[in-house]
Amino acid sequence: MEKLYSIQEVSRKLGIPKDTLRYYDRIGIVSPSREDNRYRRYSKNDLIDLMNIQIMQYADFSLDEIKGKFGFHRMENVDPAYCQEVAAFLDEKNEETRKKIAHLQKVSQLLDAASETLRDFNHERDQQLAEIVREIYRAIRKEKTDIFEEGCNGHQG
């Protein structure tokens, strides 16, 4: 007979609050079996599902995305069209992630330049910082703006 786990055991083992486990059951994302006394009993597969949910949330998937796209692991015969749909969804999510990484790299570059400029303030560092700011602003606006041609707060473009 398969071992079943109480909500308390699952919460402790996986570090998921009991209220979150109840919520997952309520929205149908992980629905454990119930005993006669209505207590939730989680199977090994339920624990695996919960671990996968934690991983997908770590990867920035919403619960709606997880619920809507990742039910295939329980299917006996996996539909190839469904697999293609999920693969396309993962590709889109990966592209979003790459854009976020590029954005965060720019932010990191800006913060590095700003802190270096403030630690050793000189005209050259100030100009380097101004160029990074202009580049980021252009990327945000995706167009050239005339304000940099006029100069901004003493920075000449």
Coordinates of all heavy atoms in Angstrom, one line a residue, residues 80-139:
P80 N 0.7 14.4 -29.1 CA 1.8 15.1 -29.7 C 1.4 16.6 -30.0 O 2.3 17.5 -29.8 CB 2.0 14.4 -31.1 CG 1.5 13.0 -30.9 CD 0.3 13.2 -29.9
A81 N 0.2 16.9 -30.3 CA -0.2 18.3 -30.6 C -0.1 19.1 -29.3 O 0.3 20.2 -29.2 CB -1.6 18.3 -31.1
Y82 N -0.5 18.4 -28.2 CA -0.4 19.0 -26.8 C 1.0 19.3 -26.5 O 1.4 20.4 -26.0 CB -1.1 18.2 -25.8 CG -1.0 18.7 -24.4 CD1 -1.8 19.8 -24.0 CD2 -0.1 18.2 -23.5 CE1 -1.7 20.3 -22.7 CE2 0.0 18.7 -22.2 CZ -0.8 19.8 -21.8 OH -0.7 20.3 -20.6
C83 N 1.9 18.4 -26.8 CA 3.3 18.5 -26.5 C 3.9 19.7 -27.3 O 4.7 20.5 -26.8 CB 4.1 17.2 -26.8 SG 3.8 15.9 -25.7
Q84 N 3.5 19.8 -28.6 CA 3.9 20.9 -29.4 C 3.4 22.3 -28.8 O 4.2 23.3 -28.8 CB 3.4 20.8 -30.9 CG 4.1 19.6 -31.6 CD 5.6 19.8 -31.7 OE1 6.1 20.8 -32.0 NE2 6.3 18.7 -31.3
E85 N 2.2 22.3 -28.4 CA 1.6 23.5 -27.7 C 2.4 23.9 -26.5 O 2.8 25.1 -26.3 CB 0.2 23.3 -27.4 CG -0.5 24.4 -26.7 CD -1.9 24.1 -26.2 OE1 -2.6 23.2 -26.8 OE2 -2.3 24.7 -25.2
V86 N 2.7 22.9 -25.7 CA 3.5 23.2 -24.4 C 4.9 23.6 -24.8 O 5.5 24.6 -24.2 CB 3.5 22.0 -23.5 CG1 4.4 22.2 -22.3 CG2 2.1 21.7 -23.0
A87 N 5.5 23.0 -25.8 CA 6.9 23.4 -26.2 C 6.9 24.8 -26.7 O 7.8 25.6 -26.4 CB 7.4 22.4 -27.3
A88 N 5.9 25.2 -27.5 CA 5.8 26.6 -28.0 C 5.6 27.6 -26.9 O 6.3 28.6 -26.8 CB 4.7 26.7 -29.0
F89 N 4.8 27.2 -25.9 CA 4.7 28.0 -24.7 C 6.0 28.2 -23.9 O 6.3 29.3 -23.5 CB 3.6 27.4 -23.8 CG 3.5 28.1 -22.4 CD1 2.9 29.3 -22.3 CD2 4.0 27.5 -21.3 CE1 2.8 29.9 -21.1 CE2 3.9 28.1 -20.1 CZ 3.3 29.3 -20.0
L90 N 6.7 27.1 -23.8 CA 8.0 27.1 -23.1 C 9.0 28.0 -23.9 O 9.8 28.8 -23.3 CB 8.6 25.7 -22.9 CG 7.8 24.9 -21.9 CD1 8.4 23.4 -21.9 CD2 7.8 25.5 -20.5
D91 N 9.0 27.9 -25.2 CA 9.8 28.8 -26.0 C 9.5 30.3 -25.8 O 10.4 31.1 -25.6 CB 9.7 28.5 -27.5 CG 10.3 27.1 -27.9 OD1 11.1 26.6 -27.1 OD2 9.9 26.6 -28.9
E92 N 8.2 30.6 -25.7 CA 7.8 32.0 -25.5 C 8.3 32.4 -24.1 O 8.8 33.5 -23.9 CB 6.3 32.1 -25.5 CG 5.7 32.0 -26.9 CD 4.2 32.0 -26.9 OE1 3.6 32.5 -26.0 OE2 3.6 31.5 -28.0
K93 N 8.1 31.6 -23.1 CA 8.5 31.9 -21.7 C 10.0 32.1 -21.7 O 10.5 33.0 -21.0 CB 8.1 30.7 -20.8 CG 8.1 31.1 -19.4 CD 7.1 32.1 -19.0 CE 7.0 32.3 -17.5 NZ 6.0 33.3 -17.2
N94 N 10.8 31.3 -22.4 CA 12.2 31.4 -22.4 C 12.6 32.7 -23.1 O 13.6 33.4 -22.6 CB 12.8 30.2 -23.2 CG 14.3 30.1 -22.9 OD1 14.8 30.5 -21.9 ND2 15.0 29.4 -23.8
E95 N 12.0 33.1 -24.1 CA 12.3 34.4 -24.8 C 12.0 35.5 -23.8 O 12.8 36.5 -23.7 CB 11.4 34.6 -26.0 CG 11.7 35.8 -26.8 CD 13.2 36.0 -27.2 OE1 13.8 35.0 -27.5 OE2 13.6 37.2 -27.3
E96 N 10.9 35.5 -23.0 CA 10.6 36.5 -22.0 C 11.8 36.5 -21.0 O 12.2 37.6 -20.6 CB 9.3 36.2 -21.3 CG 8.1 36.4 -22.0 CD 6.8 36.0 -21.2 OE1 6.9 36.0 -19.9 OE2 5.8 35.6 -21.8
T97 N 12.2 35.4 -20.6 CA 13.3 35.3 -19.6 C 14.6 35.9 -20.1 O 15.3 36.6 -19.4 CB 13.5 33.8 -19.2 OG1 12.3 33.3 -18.7 CG2 14.6 33.6 -18.2
R98 N 14.9 35.6 -21.4 CA 16.1 36.2 -22.0 C 16.0 37.7 -22.1 O 17.0 38.4 -21.8 CB 16.3 35.6 -23.4 CG 16.8 34.2 -23.3 CD 17.2 33.7 -24.7 NE 17.8 32.4 -24.6 CZ 17.4 31.3 -25.2 NH1 16.5 31.4 -26.1 NH2 18.0 30.2 -25.1
K99 N 14.8 38.2 -22.3 CA 14.6 39.7 -22.4 C 14.8 40.3 -21.0 O 15.4 41.3 -20.8 CB 13.2 40.1 -22.9 CG 13.1 39.9 -24.4 CD 11.7 40.2 -24.9 CE 11.6 40.0 -26.4 NZ 10.3 40.2 -26.9
K100 N 14.3 39.6 -19.9 CA 14.5 40.0 -18.6 C 16.0 40.0 -18.2 O 16.5 40.9 -17.5 CB 13.7 39.1 -17.6 CG 12.2 39.4 -17.6 CD 11.5 38.4 -16.7 CE 10.0 38.5 -16.8 NZ 9.3 37.6 -16.0
I101 N 16.7 39.0 -18.6 CA 18.1 38.9 -18.3 C 18.9 40.1 -19.0 O 19.7 40.7 -18.4 CB 18.7 37.5 -18.8 CG1 18.2 36.4 -17.9 CG2 20.2 37.6 -18.8 CD1 18.5 35.0 -18.5
A102 N 18.6 40.3 -20.2 CA 19.2 41.5 -20.9 C 18.9 42.8 -20.2 O 19.8 43.6 -20.0 CB 18.7 41.5 -22.4
H103 N 17.7 42.9 -19.8 CA 17.3 44.1 -19.0 C 18.1 44.2 -17.7 O 18.6 45.3 -17.4 CB 15.8 44.1 -18.7 CG 15.3 45.1 -17.7 ND1 15.1 46.4 -18.0 CD2 15.1 44.9 -16.4 CE1 14.8 47.0 -16.9 NE2 14.7 46.2 -15.9
L104 N 18.2 43.1 -17.0 CA 18.9 43.2 -15.7 C 20.4 43.4 -15.9 O 21.0 44.0 -15.1 CB 18.6 41.9 -14.9 CG 17.1 41.8 -14.4 CD1 16.9 40.4 -13.8 CD2 16.8 42.9 -13.4
Q105 N 20.9 42.9 -17.0 CA 22.3 43.1 -17.3 C 22.6 44.6 -17.6 O 23.6 45.2 -17.1 CB 22.8 42.3 -18.5 CG 23.0 40.9 -18.2 CD 23.3 40.0 -19.4 OE1 22.9 40.3 -20.5 NE2 24.0 38.9 -19.2
K106 N 21.6 45.3 -18.3 CA 21.8 46.7 -18.5 C 21.6 47.5 -17.1 O 22.4 48.4 -16.9 CB 20.7 47.2 -19.4 CG 20.8 46.8 -20.8 CD 21.9 47.7 -21.5 CE 21.9 47.4 -23.0 NZ 23.1 47.9 -23.6
V107 N 20.7 47.1 -16.3 CA 20.6 47.7 -15.0 C 21.8 47.5 -14.2 O 22.3 48.5 -13.6 CB 19.3 47.1 -14.3 CG1 19.3 47.6 -12.8 CG2 18.0 47.5 -15.0
S108 N 22.4 46.3 -14.2 CA 23.6 46.1 -13.5 C 24.8 46.9 -14.0 O 25.6 47.5 -13.2 CB 24.0 44.6 -13.6 OG 25.2 44.3 -12.9
Q109 N 24.9 47.1 -15.3 CA 25.9 47.9 -15.9 C 25.7 49.4 -15.5 O 26.7 50.0 -15.1 CB 25.8 47.8 -17.5 CG 26.8 48.6 -18.2 CD 26.6 48.6 -19.7 OE1 25.5 48.2 -20.2 NE2 27.6 49.0 -20.4
L110 N 24.5 49.8 -15.5 CA 24.2 51.2 -15.0 C 24.6 51.4 -13.6 O 25.2 52.4 -13.2 CB 22.7 51.5 -15.2 CG 22.2 52.8 -14.6 CD1 22.9 54.0 -15.4 CD2 20.7 52.9 -14.8
L111 N 24.2 50.5 -12.7 CA 24.5 50.6 -11.3 C 26.0 50.5 -11.1 O 26.6 51.3 -10.2 CB 23.8 49.5 -10.5 CG 22.3 49.5 -10.5 CD1 21.7 48.3 -9.8 CD2 21.8 50.8 -9.9
D112 N 26.7 49.7 -11.8 CA 28.2 49.6 -11.7 C 28.8 50.9 -12.1 O 29.7 51.5 -11.4 CB 28.8 48.5 -12.6 CG 28.6 47.1 -12.0 OD1 28.4 47.0 -10.8 OD2 28.8 46.2 -12.8
A113 N 28.4 51.5 -13.2 CA 28.9 52.7 -13.7 C 28.6 53.9 -12.7 O 29.5 54.7 -12.5 CB 28.4 53.1 -15.1
A114 N 27.4 53.9 -12.2 CA 27.0 55.0 -11.3 C 27.9 54.9 -10.0 O 28.4 55.9 -9.5 CB 25.5 54.9 -10.9
S115 N 28.0 53.7 -9.4 CA 28.8 53.6 -8.2 C 30.3 53.9 -8.5 O 31.0 54.6 -7.7 CB 28.7 52.2 -7.6 OG 29.2 51.2 -8.4
E116 N 30.9 53.5 -9.6 CA 32.2 53.8 -10.0 C 32.4 55.3 -10.1 O 33.4 55.9 -9.7 CB 32.7 53.1 -11.2 CG 32.9 51.6 -11.1 CD 33.2 50.9 -12.4 OE1 33.6 51.6 -13.4 OE2 33.0 49.7 -12.4
T117 N 31.4 55.9 -10.8 CA 31.5 57.4 -11.0 C 31.5 58.1 -9.6 O 32.2 59.1 -9.4 CB 30.3 57.8 -11.9 OG1 30.4 57.2 -13.1 CG2 30.3 59.4 -12.1
L118 N 30.6 57.7 -8.8 CA 30.5 58.3 -7.4 C 31.8 58.1 -6.6 O 32.2 59.0 -5.8 CB 29.3 57.9 -6.7 CG 28.0 58.4 -7.4 CD1 26.8 57.7 -6.8 CD2 27.8 59.9 -7.3
R119 N 32.4 56.9 -6.7 CA 33.6 56.6 -5.9 C 34.8 57.4 -6.4 O 35.6 57.8 -5.6 CB 33.9 55.1 -6.0 CG 33.1 54.3 -5.1 CD 33.6 52.9 -5.0 NE 32.7 52.1 -4.2 CZ 31.7 51.4 -4.7 NH1 31.5 51.3 -6.0 NH2 30.9 50.7 -3.9
D120 N 34.9 57.6 -7.7 CA 36.0 58.4 -8.3 C 35.5 59.3 -9.3 O 35.7 59.1 -10.5 CB 37.0 57.3 -8.9 CG 38.2 58.0 -9.5 OD1 38.6 59.1 -9.0 OD2 38.9 57.4 -10.4
F121 N 34.9 60.4 -8.8 CA 34.2 61.3 -9.7 C 35.2 62.1 -10.6 O 36.1 62.7 -10.0 CB 33.3 62.3 -8.9 CG 32.4 63.1 -9.8 CD1 31.2 62.5 -10.3 CD2 32.8 64.3 -10.3 CE1 30.4 63.2 -11.1 CE2 31.9 65.0 -11.1 CZ 30.8 64.5 -11.6
N122 N 35.1 61.9 -11.9 CA 35.9 62.7 -12.8 C 35.1 62.9 -14.1 O 34.1 62.2 -14.3 CB 37.3 62.1 -13.0 CG 37.3 60.7 -13.6 OD1 36.6 60.5 -14.7 ND2 37.9 59.8 -13.0
H123 N 35.6 63.7 -15.0 CA 34.9 64.0 -16.2 C 34.7 62.8 -17.1 O 33.6 62.5 -17.6 CB 35.6 65.1 -17.0 CG 34.9 65.5 -18.3 ND1 33.7 66.2 -18.3 CD2 35.2 65.3 -19.6 CE1 33.3 66.3 -19.5 NE2 34.2 65.8 -20.3
E124 N 35.7 62.0 -17.2 CA 35.7 60.8 -18.1 C 34.6 59.8 -17.6 O 33.8 59.3 -18.3 CB 37.0 60.1 -18.1 CG 37.1 58.9 -19.0 CD 38.5 58.2 -19.0 OE1 39.5 58.9 -18.8 OE2 38.5 57.0 -19.2
R125 N 34.6 59.5 -16.3 CA 33.6 58.6 -15.7 C 32.2 59.1 -15.8 O 31.3 58.4 -16.1 CB 33.9 58.3 -14.2 CG 35.1 57.3 -14.0 CD 35.1 56.8 -12.6 NE 36.3 56.0 -12.3 CZ 36.4 54.7 -12.5 NH1 35.5 54.0 -13.1 NH2 37.5 54.1 -12.2
D126 N 32.1 60.4 -15.6 CA 30.8 61.1 -15.8 C 30.3 60.9 -17.2 O 29.1 60.7 -17.4 CB 30.9 62.6 -15.4 CG 29.6 63.2 -15.3 OD1 28.6 62.6 -14.7 OD2 29.5 64.4 -15.7
Q127 N 31.2 61.1 -18.2 CA 30.8 60.9 -19.6 C 30.4 59.5 -19.9 O 29.4 59.2 -20.6 CB 31.9 61.4 -20.5 CG 32.1 62.9 -20.5 CD 30.8 63.6 -20.9 OE1 30.2 63.4 -21.9 NE2 30.3 64.5 -20.0
Q128 N 31.1 58.5 -19.3 CA 30.8 57.1 -19.5 C 29.4 56.8 -19.0 O 28.6 56.1 -19.6 CB 31.8 56.2 -18.9 CG 33.2 56.2 -19.6 CD 34.2 55.5 -18.8 OE1 34.1 55.2 -17.6 NE2 35.4 55.2 -19.4
L129 N 29.1 57.3 -17.8 CA 27.8 57.1 -17.1 C 26.7 57.8 -18.0 O 25.7 57.2 -18.2 CB 27.8 57.7 -15.7 CG 26.5 57.6 -15.0 CD1 26.0 56.2 -14.8 CD2 26.6 58.3 -13.6
A130 N 27.0 59.0 -18.5 CA 26.0 59.7 -19.3 C 25.7 58.9 -20.6 O 24.5 58.8 -21.0 CB 26.5 61.1 -19.6
E131 N 26.7 58.2 -21.2 CA 26.5 57.5 -22.4 C 25.6 56.2 -22.1 O 24.8 55.9 -22.9 CB 27.8 57.1 -23.0 CG 27.7 56.3 -24.3 CD 26.8 57.0 -25.4 OE1 26.9 58.2 -25.5 OE2 26.0 56.3 -26.0
I132 N 25.9 55.6 -21.0 CA 25.1 54.4 -20.6 C 23.6 54.8 -20.3 O 22.7 54.2 -20.8 CB 25.7 53.7 -19.3 CG1 27.0 53.1 -19.7 CG2 24.7 52.7 -18.7 CD1 27.8 52.6 -18.4
V133 N 23.4 55.9 -19.7 CA 22.1 56.5 -19.4 C 21.4 56.7 -20.8 O 20.2 56.4 -21.0 CB 22.1 57.7 -18.5 CG1 20.8 58.4 -18.5 CG2 22.6 57.3 -17.1
R134 N 22.1 57.4 -21.7 CA 21.5 57.7 -23.0 C 21.1 56.4 -23.8 O 20.0 56.3 -24.3 CB 22.5 58.5 -23.9 CG 22.5 59.9 -23.5 CD 23.3 60.7 -24.6 NE 24.7 60.4 -24.6 CZ 25.6 61.0 -23.8 NH1 25.3 61.9 -22.9 NH2 26.9 60.7 -23.9
E135 N 22.0 55.4 -23.7 CA 21.8 54.1 -24.4 C 20.5 53.4 -23.8 O 19.7 52.9 -24.5 CB 23.0 53.2 -24.2 CG 22.9 51.9 -24.9 CD 24.1 51.0 -24.6 OE1 25.3 51.6 -24.6 OE2 23.9 49.8 -24.4
I136 N 20.4 53.4 -22.5 CA 19.3 52.8 -21.8 C 18.0 53.6 -22.2 O 17.0 53.0 -22.5 CB 19.5 52.7 -20.3 CG1 20.6 51.6 -20.0 CG2 18.2 52.3 -19.6 CD1 21.0 51.5 -18.6
Y137 N 18.1 54.9 -22.1 CA 16.9 55.7 -22.4 C 16.4 55.4 -23.9 O 15.3 55.3 -24.1 CB 17.1 57.2 -22.2 CG 15.8 57.9 -22.3 CD1 14.9 57.9 -21.2 CD2 15.5 58.6 -23.4 CE1 13.8 58.6 -21.3 CE2 14.3 59.3 -23.5 CZ 13.4 59.3 -22.5 OH 12.2 59.9 -22.6
R138 N 17.4 55.4 -24.8 CA 17.0 55.1 -26.2 C 16.4 53.7 -26.3 O 15.4 53.5 -27.1 CB 18.2 55.2 -27.1 CG 18.7 56.6 -27.3 CD 19.9 56.7 -28.3 NE 20.4 58.0 -28.4 CZ 21.6 58.3 -28.0 NH1 22.4 57.4 -27.5 NH2 22.0 59.6 -28.0
A139 N 16.9 52.8 -25.6 CA 16.3 51.4 -25.7 C 14.9 51.4 -25.1 O 14.0 50.7 -25.6 CB 17.2 50.4 -24.9

